[in-house]
Amino acid sequence: MTVAGSLAIVAGVLAIATVLGVLLRSRTGRARVVTSRASDATTVADLASREAFGTAATLLQFSTPTCARCPATARQLDVVAASRSAAQGPNRVRRLEIDIAERPELASRFDVMQTPTVLLVDGTQTVRARFGGPPRQPELVAALDAVLTEEHS
């Protein structure tokens, strides 16, 4: 193999890796709306006591002890939950964190491929949206506001 051929292969591999990296990064933190309400995988009522959930919405975070982005995500979710609860009444929106290392069966049940993974759950403990990776603030707020607005309808 010639030097030019080797360089062409390396350049091709780098280009493919760059495209894949950009694609994966563009999907991280984006809201994905969950449409099916009948599936067992879309309800989270069995994960914690009723009191652990917010009365209108819950930000359910799946984490692991080794997750570097999970503490910052927890702080972000706490701020969003507190701002919505302060404006609309106590316990309306809460954050609930589950260590996926302690409950590995939940990874397959909720298709958790990375941590943090955040599920937006409505007042009936039904999953309404999911975020793979730290949620993007505008998308998180928009999805939460949609659930809270729907509750008033």
PDB file of all heavy atoms in Angstrom, residues 35-54:
ATOM      1  N   THR A  35     -45.413   8.669  22.455  1.00  0.00           N
ATOM      2  CA  THR A  35     -46.802   8.721  21.987  1.00  0.00           C
ATOM      3  C   THR A  35     -47.671   7.617  22.559  1.00  0.00           C
ATOM      4  O   THR A  35     -48.841   7.819  22.799  1.00  0.00           O
ATOM      5  CB  THR A  35     -46.853   8.655  20.449  1.00  0.00           C
ATOM      6  OG1 THR A  35     -46.158   7.494  20.028  1.00  0.00           O
ATOM      7  CG2 THR A  35     -46.236   9.884  19.849  1.00  0.00           C
ATOM      8  N   SER A  36     -47.135   6.428  22.766  1.00  0.00           N
ATOM      9  CA  SER A  36     -47.949   5.314  23.246  1.00  0.00           C
ATOM     10  C   SER A  36     -48.226   5.472  24.730  1.00  0.00           C
ATOM     11  O   SER A  36     -47.319   5.565  25.529  1.00  0.00           O
ATOM     12  CB  SER A  36     -47.228   3.988  22.995  1.00  0.00           C
ATOM     13  OG  SER A  36     -47.931   2.951  23.621  1.00  0.00           O
ATOM     14  N   ARG A  37     -49.494   5.477  25.111  1.00  0.00           N
ATOM     15  CA  ARG A  37     -49.862   5.594  26.523  1.00  0.00           C
ATOM     16  C   ARG A  37     -50.315   4.264  27.104  1.00  0.00           C
ATOM     17  O   ARG A  37     -50.558   4.164  28.286  1.00  0.00           O
ATOM     18  CB  ARG A  37     -50.963   6.625  26.685  1.00  0.00           C
ATOM     19  CG  ARG A  37     -50.495   8.011  26.384  1.00  0.00           C
ATOM     20  CD  ARG A  37     -51.591   8.988  26.637  1.00  0.00           C
ATOM     21  NE  ARG A  37     -50.982  10.278  26.878  1.00  0.00           N
ATOM     22  CZ  ARG A  37     -51.477  11.196  27.665  1.00  0.00           C
ATOM     23  NH1 ARG A  37     -52.594  10.980  28.287  1.00  0.00           N
ATOM     24  NH2 ARG A  37     -50.864  12.331  27.832  1.00  0.00           N
ATOM     25  N   ALA A  38     -50.436   3.240  26.291  1.00  0.00           N
ATOM     26  CA  ALA A  38     -50.973   1.971  26.767  1.00  0.00           C
ATOM     27  C   ALA A  38     -49.894   0.990  27.211  1.00  0.00           C
ATOM     28  O   ALA A  38     -50.157   0.067  27.952  1.00  0.00           O
ATOM     29  CB  ALA A  38     -51.812   1.327  25.665  1.00  0.00           C
ATOM     30  N   SER A  39     -48.690   1.177  26.804  1.00  0.00           N
ATOM     31  CA  SER A  39     -47.618   0.228  27.074  1.00  0.00           C
ATOM     32  C   SER A  39     -47.178   0.281  28.538  1.00  0.00           C
ATOM     33  O   SER A  39     -47.169   1.324  29.169  1.00  0.00           O
ATOM     34  CB  SER A  39     -46.419   0.552  26.165  1.00  0.00           C
ATOM     35  OG  SER A  39     -45.299  -0.176  26.574  1.00  0.00           O
ATOM     36  N   ASP A  40     -46.783  -0.881  29.069  1.00  0.00           N
ATOM     37  CA  ASP A  40     -46.252  -0.942  30.428  1.00  0.00           C
ATOM     38  C   ASP A  40     -44.986  -0.111  30.567  1.00  0.00           C
ATOM     39  O   ASP A  40     -44.689   0.404  31.633  1.00  0.00           O
ATOM     40  CB  ASP A  40     -45.942  -2.388  30.816  1.00  0.00           C
ATOM     41  CG  ASP A  40     -47.205  -3.191  31.057  1.00  0.00           C
ATOM     42  OD1 ASP A  40     -48.260  -2.585  31.302  1.00  0.00           O
ATOM     43  OD2 ASP A  40     -47.124  -4.426  30.991  1.00  0.00           O
ATOM     44  N   ALA A  41     -44.220   0.012  29.488  1.00  0.00           N
ATOM     45  CA  ALA A  41     -42.962   0.742  29.538  1.00  0.00           C
ATOM     46  C   ALA A  41     -43.180   2.243  29.668  1.00  0.00           C
ATOM     47  O   ALA A  41     -42.261   2.967  29.972  1.00  0.00           O
ATOM     48  CB  ALA A  41     -42.125   0.444  28.297  1.00  0.00           C
ATOM     49  N   THR A  42     -44.396   2.734  29.433  1.00  0.00           N
ATOM     50  CA  THR A  42     -44.622   4.166  29.506  1.00  0.00           C
ATOM     51  C   THR A  42     -45.165   4.619  30.851  1.00  0.00           C
ATOM     52  O   THR A  42     -45.357   5.796  31.072  1.00  0.00           O
ATOM     53  CB  THR A  42     -45.572   4.652  28.388  1.00  0.00           C
ATOM     54  OG1 THR A  42     -46.828   4.018  28.545  1.00  0.00           O
ATOM     55  CG2 THR A  42     -44.991   4.372  27.028  1.00  0.00           C
ATOM     56  N   THR A  43     -45.427   3.692  31.762  1.00  0.00           N
ATOM     57  CA  THR A  43     -45.876   4.086  33.093  1.00  0.00           C
ATOM     58  C   THR A  43     -44.767   3.803  34.107  1.00  0.00           C
ATOM     59  O   THR A  43     -44.045   2.819  33.987  1.00  0.00           O
ATOM     60  CB  THR A  43     -47.186   3.381  33.493  1.00  0.00           C
ATOM     61  OG1 THR A  43     -47.583   3.869  34.767  1.00  0.00           O
ATOM     62  CG2 THR A  43     -47.053   1.882  33.523  1.00  0.00           C
ATOM     63  N   VAL A  44     -44.641   4.699  35.065  1.00  0.00           N
ATOM     64  CA  VAL A  44     -43.557   4.582  36.042  1.00  0.00           C
ATOM     65  C   VAL A  44     -44.094   4.493  37.468  1.00  0.00           C
ATOM     66  O   VAL A  44     -43.352   4.648  38.426  1.00  0.00           O
ATOM     67  CB  VAL A  44     -42.564   5.758  35.912  1.00  0.00           C
ATOM     68  CG1 VAL A  44     -41.883   5.755  34.563  1.00  0.00           C
ATOM     69  CG2 VAL A  44     -43.257   7.091  36.159  1.00  0.00           C
ATOM     70  N   ALA A  45     -45.385   4.251  37.618  1.00  0.00           N
ATOM     71  CA  ALA A  45     -46.022   4.271  38.934  1.00  0.00           C
ATOM     72  C   ALA A  45     -45.394   3.292  39.921  1.00  0.00           C
ATOM     73  O   ALA A  45     -45.415   3.539  41.126  1.00  0.00           O
ATOM     74  CB  ALA A  45     -47.510   3.980  38.787  1.00  0.00           C
ATOM     75  N   ASP A  46     -44.810   2.209  39.426  1.00  0.00           N
ATOM     76  CA  ASP A  46     -44.232   1.199  40.314  1.00  0.00           C
ATOM     77  C   ASP A  46     -42.794   1.494  40.738  1.00  0.00           C
ATOM     78  O   ASP A  46     -42.199   0.734  41.492  1.00  0.00           O
ATOM     79  CB  ASP A  46     -44.296  -0.171  39.648  1.00  0.00           C
ATOM     80  CG  ASP A  46     -43.506  -0.236  38.352  1.00  0.00           C
ATOM     81  OD1 ASP A  46     -43.438   0.796  37.635  1.00  0.00           O
ATOM     82  OD2 ASP A  46     -42.962  -1.308  38.041  1.00  0.00           O
ATOM     83  N   LEU A  47     -42.220   2.601  40.304  1.00  0.00           N
ATOM     84  CA  LEU A  47     -40.815   2.899  40.604  1.00  0.00           C
ATOM     85  C   LEU A  47     -40.602   3.547  41.960  1.00  0.00           C
ATOM     86  O   LEU A  47     -39.512   3.480  42.521  1.00  0.00           O
ATOM     87  CB  LEU A  47     -40.219   3.800  39.521  1.00  0.00           C
ATOM     88  CG  LEU A  47     -40.181   3.213  38.117  1.00  0.00           C
ATOM     89  CD1 LEU A  47     -39.474   4.175  37.175  1.00  0.00           C
ATOM     90  CD2 LEU A  47     -39.510   1.852  38.103  1.00  0.00           C
ATOM     91  N   ALA A  48     -41.609   4.207  42.489  1.00  0.00           N
ATOM     92  CA  ALA A  48     -41.483   4.890  43.782  1.00  0.00           C
ATOM     93  C   ALA A  48     -42.875   5.060  44.373  1.00  0.00           C
ATOM     94  O   ALA A  48     -43.882   4.804  43.708  1.00  0.00           O
ATOM     95  CB  ALA A  48     -40.812   6.253  43.586  1.00  0.00           C
ATOM     96  N   SER A  49     -42.901   5.530  45.612  1.00  0.00           N
ATOM     97  CA  SER A  49     -44.198   5.770  46.247  1.00  0.00           C
ATOM     98  C   SER A  49     -44.903   6.935  45.568  1.00  0.00           C
ATOM     99  O   SER A  49     -44.274   7.782  44.929  1.00  0.00           O
ATOM    100  CB  SER A  49     -43.998   6.096  47.732  1.00  0.00           C
ATOM    101  OG  SER A  49     -43.368   7.353  47.860  1.00  0.00           O
ATOM    102  N   ARG A  50     -46.187   6.995  45.713  1.00  0.00           N
ATOM    103  CA  ARG A  50     -47.005   8.055  45.098  1.00  0.00           C
ATOM    104  C   ARG A  50     -46.535   9.448  45.544  1.00  0.00           C
ATOM    105  O   ARG A  50     -46.550  10.388  44.776  1.00  0.00           O
ATOM    106  CB  ARG A  50     -48.468   7.829  45.483  1.00  0.00           C
ATOM    107  CG  ARG A  50     -49.416   8.849  44.958  1.00  0.00           C
ATOM    108  CD  ARG A  50     -50.031   8.344  43.673  1.00  0.00           C
ATOM    109  NE  ARG A  50     -51.046   9.272  43.221  1.00  0.00           N
ATOM    110  CZ  ARG A  50     -51.017   9.839  42.023  1.00  0.00           C
ATOM    111  NH1 ARG A  50     -50.054   9.565  41.188  1.00  0.00           N
ATOM    112  NH2 ARG A  50     -51.946  10.663  41.659  1.00  0.00           N
ATOM    113  N   GLU A  51     -46.090   9.564  46.782  1.00  0.00           N
ATOM    114  CA  GLU A  51     -45.641  10.838  47.334  1.00  0.00           C
ATOM    115  C   GLU A  51     -44.340  11.331  46.706  1.00  0.00           C
ATOM    116  O   GLU A  51     -44.038  12.517  46.762  1.00  0.00           O
ATOM    117  CB  GLU A  51     -45.455  10.734  48.857  1.00  0.00           C
ATOM    118  CG  GLU A  51     -46.729  10.467  49.624  1.00  0.00           C
ATOM    119  CD  GLU A  51     -47.170   8.997  49.547  1.00  0.00           C
ATOM    120  OE1 GLU A  51     -46.307   8.103  49.442  1.00  0.00           O
ATOM    121  OE2 GLU A  51     -48.385   8.759  49.571  1.00  0.00           O
ATOM    122  N   ALA A  52     -43.566  10.433  46.113  1.00  0.00           N
ATOM    123  CA  ALA A  52     -42.304  10.827  45.490  1.00  0.00           C
ATOM    124  C   ALA A  52     -42.510  11.578  44.182  1.00  0.00           C
ATOM    125  O   ALA A  52     -41.640  12.327  43.743  1.00  0.00           O
ATOM    126  CB  ALA A  52     -41.429   9.594  45.242  1.00  0.00           C
ATOM    127  N   PHE A  53     -43.676  11.400  43.586  1.00  0.00           N
ATOM    128  CA  PHE A  53     -43.982  12.044  42.309  1.00  0.00           C
ATOM    129  C   PHE A  53     -44.619  13.404  42.541  1.00  0.00           C
ATOM    130  O   PHE A  53     -45.299  13.622  43.539  1.00  0.00           O
ATOM    131  CB  PHE A  53     -44.942  11.170  41.487  1.00  0.00           C
ATOM    132  CG  PHE A  53     -44.334   9.893  41.017  1.00  0.00           C
ATOM    133  CD1 PHE A  53     -44.519   8.722  41.726  1.00  0.00           C
ATOM    134  CD2 PHE A  53     -43.565   9.861  39.857  1.00  0.00           C
ATOM    135  CE1 PHE A  53     -43.947   7.535  41.292  1.00  0.00           C
ATOM    136  CE2 PHE A  53     -42.997   8.681  39.415  1.00  0.00           C
ATOM    137  CZ  PHE A  53     -43.182   7.512  40.135  1.00  0.00           C
ATOM    138  N   GLY A  54     -44.425  14.300  41.580  1.00  0.00           N
ATOM    139  CA  GLY A  54     -45.105  15.584  41.613  1.00  0.00           C
ATOM    140  C   GLY A  54     -46.572  15.377  41.289  1.00  0.00           C
ATOM    141  O   GLY A  54     -46.928  14.430  40.590  1.00  0.00           O
TER     142      GLY A  54
END
